[in-house]
Amino acid sequence: MAVIEALKSKGISAIGAAGFCWGAPTSILGAEIDQISPPELLKQFEEVLSTKPEVDGFVKIFPKVSHGWTREVQC
């Protein structure tokens, strides 16, 4: 909490954070507008994952966002 209070004291009202657990199922979260990994490529990943029943996988393409998207969380 000290970090949040320090940021607030400097006038910062929003921060972003992401957490990852490498032991979890494979998750591919893509953007609809993406030249680096376009939706067509992500759909190929999904097809390959579906042929591997021993691997948990999840593919989601978020509409109307570009590569590097994120969501803002207010605190």
Side-chain angles (χ1 to χ4, degrees), residues 2-59:
V3 172
I4 293 173
E5 292 305 318
L7 292 171
K8 284 182 178 180
S9 74
K10 296 188 182 292
I12 296 172
S13 62
I15 59 171
F20 299 93
C21 175
W22 298 110
T26 301
S27 179
I28 299 172
L29 306 174
E32 180 182 34
I33 307 163
D34 192 340
Q35 294 179 0
I36 296 170
S37 51
E40 297 79 20
L41 179 61
L42 301 181
K43 289 175 184 172
Q44 289 177 11
F45 290 151
E46 186 173 37
E47 289 173 15
V48 170
L49 283 171
S50 71
T51 67
K52 310 276 184 191
E54 69 277 10
V55 177
D56 290 331
F58 176 78
V59 176

Side-chain angles (χ1 to χ4, degrees), residues 15-18 65-73:
I15 59 171
V65 295
S66 58
H67 184 91
W69 62 272
T70 188
R71 297 200 181 256
E72 183 179 298
V73 177

